[in-house]
Amino acid sequence: MGQSVRNQSTIGYIRETATKFLDRETAGGIFLIIATIVALLLANSQWAGAYHHFLGDELLFEFSEHLSFGLTIEEWINDGLMAIFFLVAGLELKREVMVGELSSIKKASAPLLAALGGMAVPALIFISLNLGTENIKGWGIPMATDIAYSLGIIGLLGKNVPRQLKTFLIALAIADDIGAILVIALFYSNELSWIYLGSGMGAFGLLLLMNWTGVKNLIWYIIIGIILWYCFLNSGIHPTIAGVLFAITIPIVPKLDSKILKERTATNVTNLEKTELEKLNPLQDKKQQIILKAIKTDTENSRPPLLKLENSLVDFNAFFIIPIFAVANAGVKLDVNLIEVVSGSLGLGILLGLAIGKVTGIGIFTLIGQKLGVSELHITLNWKHIIGIGMIAGIGFTMSLFITNLAFNDQELIKISKISILIASLLAAIGGAVILLLNSNKGRKNIVR
């Protein structure tokens, strides 16, 4: 009985978290669209110089005369705020692996295979067009799916898209994030500083030890997590990876078991009934204040630390970090011939990789999974849904822009890449939305008949 109550409580809280995540990310996608437009307007206006100068300004923290730490505004965004972005992605990933859409082979196989195809085919297309050139470093750019933009587009389509397709997209995008994280860690890191890397791994080991010994207070994790980030910042491995490692160490077991919570709450309610409820309110009765505070504390301690941290960061991530990243990175001057941009090997590799490679890879690998019997689609989904969602997954934006900055130092190559990403993402969004809307309308006509 106790185990059943505990499981129901945890599952209910996780479902609530997943629902909030979807709603927030959908609204966040709209904010991201606005931020992208703002960035493009700034970069192509009379304020372009001030815009780029501001991003290059240093933000310095001075702790004493001999101790200070500073990064440029752009570095604080790309190396600091994006570490929190990856932390949220890591928390989402851990939740899905533990109890969500990636918690079993049966649940995970379809979106995992789709994500694998959606990464492999775009990379191969890009490599085939850029092999032997300096552009080859950008092979990771067309591999990524932007979860915020993708869910924003799906959210705008409303009831025209089955709920199961949204779930499929979330699982696919999270699996895609795993691939992007591995690509960044393995292929887009600089020369290593073994002292800082060793210190960072020591901090990671301490966090794991804290988890293993039952430490639940998030404050201690955050303090060590900041040290972990600083070590990776100076290690040669991109500091955003520290966000993922930090997420892995956050406990999923709450401080207070649901069974104990039930018993303590029942006792507190009984004690509350013995107070003068009819005559006095909590402001007038100290006993009521103590009991109500105990109930609040127990309820708070029954929330899994992982979900507590995730819920506290999702809004900040969706409505601040991702839009701010877009404002700082999507601002590219459109002073070039767009036809020349997308016809060159770099631009064409990104354009074909995202707009064509994504949907092709997702479709082929999903079909292979079906034929081999290792995965199956939900009964409400058809192949037009997969094609439509495959195209929407071609919105690479945030992660593609991020990898662009890691792949190239040449500003001309960065400009070409960013313009190609914007064009490809726009085509993917429009194409996917049209296919899903047409499929929805056809389904309604068939129902009427």
Side-chain angles (χ1 to χ4, degrees), residues 196-258:
Y196 277 108
L197 181 58
S199 300
M201 294 312 295
F204 178 58
L206 179 57
L207 286 166
L208 289 174
L209 181 63
M210 288 164 56
N211 185 317
W212 183 67
T213 55
V215 176
K216 307 296 182 186
N217 193 328
L218 284 172
I219 294 298
W220 296 111
Y221 284 92
I222 291 170
I223 292 172
I224 305 300
I226 292 172
I227 296 172
L228 173 68
W229 172 80
Y230 179 80
C231 290
F232 269 76
L233 179 68
N234 294 281
S235 70
I237 294 178
H238 202 273
T240 52
I241 303 303
V244 181
L245 294 178
F246 179 51
I248 292 172
T249 68
I250 302 301
I252 59 171
V253 179
K255 184 183 294 186
L256 189 65
D257 185 272
S258 296

Side-chain angles (χ1 to χ4, degrees), residues 130 151 178 277 329 376 380 396:
N130 292 275
L151 285 177
I178 302 173
L277 287 173
N329 289 274
E376 59 181 24
T380 60

